[in-house]
Amino acid sequence: MTDEPDLPEGEARLQRHTTSDVVVDFHEYRNAKDPLPVTFHRRELDQILWVYGRMVGEGEWRDYAIDHLKDRAVFSVFKRSGEMPLYRIEKNPKLAAKQGAFSVLNVHGTILKRGHELAQVLKVFDKVLRLVET
C-alpha cells in the first residue's frame, strides 16, 4: 500500500516519476508565464499626483484611475467619473529608446506631449500667463 493515488488504466508508475526529476525555479517559471505589468515608480506617481492635486484645487479635475497593463501604465484623469478621461498620462517602456517612455494624450487620443523625462512631459499642464489689457 502506498500514499500515491491510483493511476489511470494503462499508465505505468515509472512514467509518472520521470517528470518529477526536473527541478524548475518557480520565480523563472512565473516570470516566463505571466510577465509583471508595467507600473509607475513612487517618484513618478509623486510628480503626477502633485499636478493632479493642483488641477483639483483649480476645479478642473475631479477623479482619476490608474491602470497597470502588460505593455504600459496609464494614469487617467476625469472631470466626472462616468465620462471618458480628459487626459491620459502613459508610461510605455518599449518607446523609451525612441520617442520617450512618457506621453500625455487628450480625450481623442492625440498625443499632446511625449518625452524621456516625466517632469518635462507634465509641463503641458502648466498655465501660460498672458498680459490682459483693460
Side-chain angles (χ1 to χ4, degrees):
M1 191 157 210
T2 64
D3 291 336
E4 295 182 18
D6 294 336
L7 296 174
E9 195 168 320
E11 186 177 337
R13 198 165 294 279
L14 289 176
Q15 290 175 345
R16 187 170 190 132
H17 287 291
T18 57
T19 58
S20 66
D21 294 338
V22 178
V23 177
V24 177
D25 183 24
F26 182 70
H27 184 68
E28 289 177 15
Y29 172 77
R30 187 171 184 189
N31 284 343
K33 195 77 170 162
D34 295 322
L36 295 174
V38 177
T39 60
F40 289 108
H41 296 292
R42 182 177 177 97
R43 294 192 189 276
E44 296 166 351
L45 270 178
D46 285 343
Q47 292 175 356
I48 294 171
L49 289 173
W50 187 84
V51 171
Y52 175 78
R54 188 186 64 185
M55 298 301 265
V56 167
E58 293 175 5
E60 294 188 28
W61 298 350
R62 292 192 179 198
D63 200 5
Y64 72 91
I66 300 175
D67 296 313
H68 296 214
L69 308 172
K70 290 181 181 180
D71 59 339
R72 66 181 186 247
V74 181
F75 187 96
S76 303
V77 177
F78 299 89
K79 179 71 173 175
R80 291 179 191 82
S81 59
E83 297 178 351
M84 295 284 292
L86 291 174
Y87 298 101
R88 291 188 326 238
I89 302 166
E90 294 189 359
K91 176 183 178 182
N92 189 343
K94 291 182 181 178
L95 299 176
K98 297 177 183 176
Q99 301 104 338
F102 300 101
S103 59
V104 175
L105 293 85
N106 66 6
V107 70
H108 304 292
T110 305
I111 297 173
L112 301 177
K113 195 158 187 179
R114 175 180 278 160
H116 298 282
E117 298 290 328
L118 180 60
Q120 293 296 322
V121 172
L122 291 176
K123 285 186 179 182
V124 75
F125 298 116
D126 289 347
K127 301 280 183 181
V128 178
L129 298 176
R130 294 182 287 144
L131 178 63
V132 178
E133 296 182 24
T134 57

